[in-house]
Amino acid sequence: MKEIIVGLGERSYPILIEAGLLGRAAAHVGRFARGDRLVIVTDENVAAAQLPALAAGLSGIAIETIILPAGEGTKSWAMLERLTDRLIDLGVERSDRILAFGGGVIGDLVGFAASILKRGCGFVQIPTTLLAQVDSSVGGKTAINSTAGKNLVGSFHQPDMVLIDPDVLGTLPPRELRAGYAEVAKYGLIDDAAFFDWCETHGDDVLAGDADARVEAIAYSVRSKARIVGEDERETSGRRALLNLGHTFGHALEAETGFSDVLLHGEAVACGMALAFRFSAAQGLCNEEDAARVGFHLARSGLPSTLAEAHVDTSGATLVAHMAHDKKMEGGKLPFLLARGIGQTFLAKDVDLAEVERFLDGER
């Protein structure tokens, strides 16, 4: 088993990575049961594919299961109200630990609910998608979407533990797997060119189901994120902001496509990263060869790297208008993650949105 610690002093927590971990869940989360009971929150798809395996792994512990609709629409005020009401009905107390069993949507929603329920109770992340395993389950960012944009209502609330079983990826649709892979490649693009080299060589293995490649990709990504979160938990120094590479462009694309299955989050991030590198090249910050290399690898991995591939055909002004709702906006300025090359991402706070608009119009 690989164990990685997110170092946050008294709030530090372990991330456990091992094939078959779901079947041994009781050994790790059983201590969180109160009166031999645990509450699991999941969605319809995960319940059908994976809940029996988790239930078997929790043999001897009574479980209450809350099953929510699958999809980005579940990260909403309505579902937050439905979930918190049900948790209250079940008598969940501040000392309890809720199991968030699903992808990023379930992890974000359950984490946010846990942060506000009775002024804060605990939760455990058991991510079931590659994207959630390498990114959203680690670091304590929780949120729901609002009509104005993605993740605009939320809190920082760290889990007590993260259990990652790579075997659950075997039931993941190929499109979801590719979407998660975008976040794997991101870690090489932000500050480790050698890992991006590894992705170019082994990315196909990760997507094809090679067990060793998947464990290596997950473990490297988690170590990278744990290190950055430990250095800058609440994104105050700018270090953690590096993890947002591709997200400013990507969230605008998601907003334009209605936060729907037209464009999955990881697909939007992939396109956003390609756009960020091409915009950086257009601004003379990095060479065009690096930008082309990024776009080629993402496209080769089955991910969108252009607006057309992301099913977006709208003006730069429309996309920039979506960006105006970004939660990172400060003093009327929107910071962008740009690059001086592969593995050389930096936070730019002086980007002219008119330049972004013109660039996006040229990308159509």
Side-chain angles (χ1 to χ4, degrees):
M1 179 185 296
K2 295 181 183 294
E3 180 174 347
I4 298 163
I5 303 297
V6 180
L8 295 169
E10 294 181 353
R11 292 176 297 106
S12 297
Y13 57 92
I15 302 164
L16 307 181
I17 307 169
E18 187 178 39
L21 198 55
L22 220 59
R24 299 183 291 279
H28 303 288
V29 302
R31 61 189 174 91
F32 296 131
R34 180 172 60 85
D36 290 328
R37 185 197 75 164
L38 284 168
V39 176
I40 300 169
V41 183
T42 189
D43 69 34
E44 295 164 342
N45 292 344
V46 175
Q50 300 292 346
L51 188 57
L54 179 58
L58 294 172
S59 178
I61 299 172
I63 58 174
E64 294 277 2
T65 306
I66 301 172
I67 300 176
L68 301 175
E72 190 72 22
T74 294
K75 281 177 57 170
S76 67
W77 283 109
M79 285 297 167
L80 178 66
E81 180 180 21
R82 172 176 162 180
L83 175 58
T84 51
D85 282 348
R86 180 62 178 140
L87 291 170
I88 291 168
D89 288 343
L90 289 172
V92 171
E93 298 180 357
R94 292 179 68 177
S95 59
D96 285 340
R97 303 293 186 274
I98 306 163
L99 304 189
F101 183 47
V105 168
I106 289 295
D108 280 3
L109 176 67
V110 174
F112 187 37
S115 76
I116 59 176
L117 187 71
K118 299 185 177 178
R119 296 197 176 95
C121 61
F123 77 116
V124 173
Q125 290 268 22
I126 308 180
T128 60
T129 66
L130 181 59
L131 190 150
Q133 289 181 350
V134 303
D135 185 62
S136 61
S137 67
V138 180
K141 281 188 175 181
T142 74
I144 59 172
N145 302 330
S146 80
T147 54
K150 189 177 177 71
N151 296 334
L152 293 182
V153 182
S155 64
F156 286 93
H157 190 57
Q158 300 292 345
D160 293 274
M161 178 182 288
V162 182
L163 299 184
I164 297 176
D165 183 348
D167 282 354
V168 303
L169 302 179
T171 62
L172 202 65
R175 184 185 176 196
E176 292 274 0
L177 193 65
R178 292 193 298 270
Y181 178 73
E183 295 281 1
V184 174
K186 179 189 74 177
Y187 291 103
L189 294 176
I190 60 176
D191 65 358
D192 191 342
F195 183 65
F196 187 72
D197 293 344
W198 184 92
C199 289
E200 290 179 309
T201 303
H202 298 286
D204 288 347
D205 299 328
V206 174
L207 294 172
D210 183 276
D212 291 338
R214 284 187 176 177
V215 169
E216 177 63 22
I218 293 166
Y220 179 88
S221 300
V222 167
R223 284 192 207 99
S224 294
K225 185 160 189 182
R227 182 186 71 249
I228 292 172
V229 169
E231 295 170 359
D232 182 20
E233 179 185 5
R234 292 176 176 262
E235 220 167 276
T236 55
S237 74
R239 176 66 177 157
R240 183 166 180 170
L242 296 178
L243 297 169
N244 294 324
L245 176 64
H247 287 61
T248 300
F249 285 107
H251 285 170
L253 300 179
E254 286 184 275
E256 183 60 24
T257 52
F259 301 109
S260 68
D261 288 345
V262 170
L263 190 66
L264 302 180
H265 175 66
E267 293 170 336
V269 168
C271 189
M273 291 191 297
L275 290 170
F277 268 81
R278 289 201 293 274
F279 181 69
S280 296
Q283 296 294 301
L285 297 169
C286 79
N287 62 57
E288 293 183 359
E289 290 77 9
D290 277 354
R293 184 179 160 195
V294 171
F296 176 80
H297 178 64
L298 294 172
R300 185 175 180 273
S301 301
L303 290 160
S305 63
T306 66
L307 293 181
E309 291 169 356
H311 309 291
V312 172
D313 181 19
T314 191
S315 69
T318 299
L319 293 175
V320 167
H322 288 308
M323 293 177 187
H325 295 295
D326 195 293
K327 59 186 176 296
K328 297 182 291 297
M329 184 75 77
E330 185 175 344
K333 294 286 187 179
L334 180 59
F336 276 78
L337 272 298
L338 302 180
R340 297 187 178 93
I342 291 172
Q344 301 178 61
T345 296
F346 70 99
L347 185 65
K349 296 184 177 182
D350 56 352
V351 174
D352 185 345
L353 288 179
E355 287 287 337
V356 176
E357 182 179 325
R358 283 190 288 273
F359 164 75
L360 289 169
D361 280 335
E363 286 280 313
R364 294 176 66 188

